[in-house]
Amino acid sequence: MHETADDLRILQGLLDRSYAMAGPHLLEIHTPERRLGASELTATLTGVCVLALATVTADGRPRVSLVDGLFYRGTFWFGSSSDSVRLRHIRRRPAVSATHTRGQSLAVTVHGTAMETRLDADPGFAGYCAEVYHPRYGDGWTQWAAEFPFARIEADCMFAFASPDTP
């Protein structure tokens, strides 16, 4: 867990505001006892969290693709290739939605704006990536990944559901 006390406070505020504006159907499912708070969420979202990331085409059609999501300092981050369709969408229309699920027991959904960055722009994030990816790909991963753009999702709202009664 790399979140500071301030990160946790900001994340909890986002979760609280999101549920305050949620519709009745979502609230019937995401009952208070099934919601994860900021501390629980950051403890749960470690390592790679595959995200179903939705972007939008020029004519408004949604496109979903899977990306390696990393939850760092209360925010989802992901990498891509500079020539990917997803990044082309994000550069023109940065509004995105993403969901990370684990069967029926966990669902975290975020809506917001993708902010493009590079691995070397945030040394803390680069260090977290090294923790996650070096065991799998070796120390050379950092040099390889330095060529690729990353993005973080500046969240407008986030919902975090956990069902303790689902295996």
Side-chain angles (χ1 to χ4, degrees):
M1 195 168 105
H2 296 273
E3 285 72 20
T4 66
D6 199 41
D7 294 333
L8 292 174
R9 182 188 55 73
I10 291 167
L11 179 58
Q12 188 60 56
L14 172 65
L15 291 165
D16 292 345
R17 285 188 310 280
S18 299
Y19 281 109
M21 65 180 186
H25 179 70
L26 183 112
L27 293 174
E28 285 177 17
I29 298 164
H30 289 228
T31 57
E33 63 275 3
R34 290 180 165 175
R35 296 177 200 167
L36 291 177
S39 294
E40 295 168 299
L41 186 59
T42 57
T44 301
L45 298 179
T46 59
V48 174
C49 300
V50 175
L51 295 174
L53 178 73
T55 61
V56 182
T57 65
D59 60 355
R61 291 176 292 141
R63 293 292 180 257
V64 174
S65 61
L66 300 179
V67 296
D68 278 7
L70 296 170
F71 199 69
Y72 173 74
R73 299 209 47 206
T75 303
F76 275 115
W77 299 63
F78 60 92
S80 192
S81 172
S82 58
D83 63 352
S84 69
V85 171
R86 116 179 21 95
L87 201 57
R88 190 168 60 232
H89 289 173
I90 288 169
R91 286 176 174 157
R92 293 182 180 138
R93 293 162 303 280
V96 296
S97 292
T99 298
H100 171 68
T101 61
R102 296 180 189 166
Q104 293 182 327
S105 64
L106 176 72
V108 181
T109 299
V110 60
H111 306 291
T113 303
M115 307 296 290
E116 188 175 346
T117 187
R118 299 204 56 86
L119 189 59
D120 60 5
D122 186 315
F125 177 66
Y128 182 52
C129 285
E131 287 176 33
V132 171
Y133 289 115
H134 283 188
R136 172 173 260 171
Y137 299 112
D139 292 343
W141 180 88
T142 302
Q143 289 75 33
W144 173 79
E147 302 295 318
F148 294 98
F150 284 78
R152 69 181 183 282
I153 301 173
E154 294 294 324
D156 298 325
C157 68
M158 182 183 289
F159 304 101
F161 167 87
S163 179
D165 52 313
T166 303

